[in-house]
Amino acid sequence: MKLREILIDESDSVRYNTSPSPSLSWLSDGHARWLIIESATHDEIAGLFNSLGAKSEMIADHIKGENWIQRIERSDVYIRANPSPTAWDAFEKWYHMVVISNIIITIHATEIPDMDDYIQRWWLDRPAPESHVNCMLMQIVKMFVSEEVTFFNNFRLAIEKHAEGLRLADPTVTVEQLESRMTQCYHMTTVFYEYQVLLRSVEYNTDRTLSSKSFVETFRSGAETIGILRDGIDYMQRRLEELQNQHLMDQQVKTEQRLRILTIVSVIFMPLALISGVYGMNFDNMPELHEENAYFMIMGMMGLLITGMLGFFVLKGWFR
């Protein structure tokens, strides 16, 4: 299990800790915190919630099922996000969000490679938000939504490069690459759907702590942005299917062209092979063999056959 902590201290400065030790004292020290949990087992997550005073004995048994987060029996748990996970080991960046008192907890199925970079750009290189859980939540949502927009744009550009490669008949563009991109689209659709569920669940939360206009507007705007990205992913899936079909058709055309050339060569050499076979037979009574210019006559006849057949194929458009 990998833990990270972002803390807003008394001087309204951001402190980043890569090895925090969650405890009950966090709930009473008045600091707004963001605890990031990555690559944790079910039992490790249950133990962590126990350390924060949440009765979570049933989490290990129910974490894969629906509404598992509601097994945390604390009255001040006022966000229960993403109630219907698809698969714990799926390709997902954000799996659950829970807020206990002044602590924001996000649980991620796998370690996020770019998280240090996100934190540097969004927390350490910027003025700290107010030391309040609402302000931290808004900053977290803005960070993840903005990074997803950036990821989406880069992904779209990569697909357009694939399209350009297909148009230019780039041999490095393969069907396997397109299939990999389609798989990524499928995973991204799942992730964006769960983001949207999360943001909508907060937007419609009736808890008075979360009812400020700017707070709700941040989550509503984030949900709308993620919805637009989902529509974009649907479009890119269709685009990838078109590219895949185009690639397969191009390969089929190339195969047909090769077969056409082989067919033409075979048709040309069939009569030549027949003539060679006839005059290669060891019969004594073959008058042509005793003609002075027989060799040149046969070679000329073969040349006329080749020329005639090539002309016929050109007229029929077989070389187009």
Side-chain angles (χ1 to χ4, degrees):
M1 177 173 64
K2 183 177 180 63
L3 299 179
R4 310 172 199 252
E5 175 198 11
I6 293 179
L7 167 70
I8 309 296
D9 61 20
E10 296 86 351
S11 60
D12 289 334
S13 299
V14 176
R15 283 193 283 169
Y16 178 38
N17 185 4
T18 56
S19 56
S21 300
S23 65
L24 280 173
S25 62
W26 283 16
L27 300 173
S28 57
D29 63 9
H31 296 308
R33 282 182 170 85
W34 176 21
L35 179 63
I36 305 162
I37 306 173
E38 300 167 280
S39 303
T41 65
H42 306 153
D43 291 335
E44 286 173 332
I45 295 173
L48 186 141
F49 278 106
N50 281 330
S51 69
L52 296 175
K55 297 178 181 178
S56 54
E57 292 82 359
M58 302 296 290
I59 286 182
D61 296 328
H62 292 273
I63 198 166
K64 289 187 177 181
E66 294 186 358
N67 301 322
W68 70 268
I69 212 69
Q70 295 183 15
R71 294 284 178 173
I72 303 175
E73 298 173 4
R74 284 186 62 97
S75 60
D76 53 0
V77 177
Y78 55 80
I79 293 181
R80 297 182 176 92
N82 189 17
S84 302
T86 53
W88 181 254
D89 295 323
F91 171 77
E92 292 163 10
K93 295 181 179 178
W94 183 331
Y95 209 78
H96 293 283
M97 174 187 276
V98 186
V99 178
I100 302 178
S101 185
N102 57 315
I103 306 170
I104 303 165
I105 303 173
T106 56
I107 305 171
H108 308 263
T110 58
E111 186 172 341
I112 303 176
D114 300 325
M115 181 59 80
D116 285 328
D117 182 50
Y118 295 166
I119 291 172
Q120 183 67 42
R121 287 188 286 109
W122 282 89
W123 297 88
L124 302 180
D125 292 345
R126 299 187 181 204
E130 294 181 26
S131 183
H132 190 279
V133 68
N134 281 12
C135 299
M136 288 197 77
L137 270 174
M138 287 191 287
Q139 183 85 337
I140 291 170
V141 169
K142 290 176 182 177
M143 181 189 83
F144 275 109
V145 171
S146 176
E147 294 300 333
E148 289 304 332
V149 170
T150 301
F151 179 79
F152 172 84
N153 289 332
N154 292 336
F155 189 77
R156 179 176 55 80
L157 290 175
I159 290 177
E160 291 306 319
K161 285 184 179 179
H162 276 293
E164 183 67 12
L166 286 176
R167 189 181 68 81
L168 299 175
D170 186 350
T172 61
V173 178
T174 63
V175 176
E176 289 75 16
Q177 290 175 329
L178 295 176
E179 289 176 347
S180 175
R181 293 292 184 185
M182 290 182 71
T183 302
Q184 281 184 284
C185 277
Y186 170 76
H187 289 313
M188 288 169 66
T189 300
T190 304
V191 172
F192 287 163
Y193 170 75
E194 293 178 353
Y195 272 144
Q196 212 169 12
V197 169
L198 167 65
L199 297 173
R200 291 296 186 192
S201 69
V202 178
E203 178 188 344
Y204 294 111
N205 193 294
T206 57
D207 192 293
R208 293 183 62 188
T209 312
L210 306 176
S211 61
S212 69
K213 183 177 180 180
S214 60
F215 181 85
V216 173
E217 183 59 35
T218 297
F219 277 75
R220 179 183 295 118
S221 174
E224 291 173 353
T225 301
I226 294 298
I228 293 171
L229 295 185
R230 284 185 64 198
D231 293 339
I233 288 296
D234 290 339
Y235 166 77
M236 284 196 290
Q237 279 184 304
R238 294 192 297 271
R239 176 74 168 139
L240 282 169
E241 289 174 359
E242 292 173 359
L243 291 175
Q244 189 177 31
N245 292 334
Q246 177 187 340
H247 185 74
L248 293 175
M249 288 179 63
D250 291 343
Q251 294 299 317
Q252 185 176 357
V253 168
K254 290 178 181 178
T255 301
E256 290 176 353
Q257 289 174 341
R258 296 188 186 104
L259 290 175
R260 185 185 300 122
I261 297 299
L262 290 174
T263 301
I264 291 172
V265 172
S266 299
V267 169
I268 289 174
F269 277 92
M270 281 175 62
L272 303 183
L274 176 62
I275 294 172
S276 300
V278 169
Y279 287 101
M281 293 186 292
N282 296 319
F283 292 116
D284 291 332
N285 189 18
M286 295 184 73
E288 296 89 344
L289 296 179
H290 304 290
E291 291 289 337
E292 183 179 356
N293 297 316
Y295 172 77
F296 299 104
M297 291 170 59
I298 297 300
M299 293 301 293
M301 183 174 63
M302 288 183 174
L304 287 174
L305 277 172
I306 293 173
T307 304
M309 284 189 289
L310 286 175
F312 175 79
F313 294 142
V314 169
L315 289 175
K316 290 295 184 180
W318 280 37
F319 289 101
R320 295 176 186 172

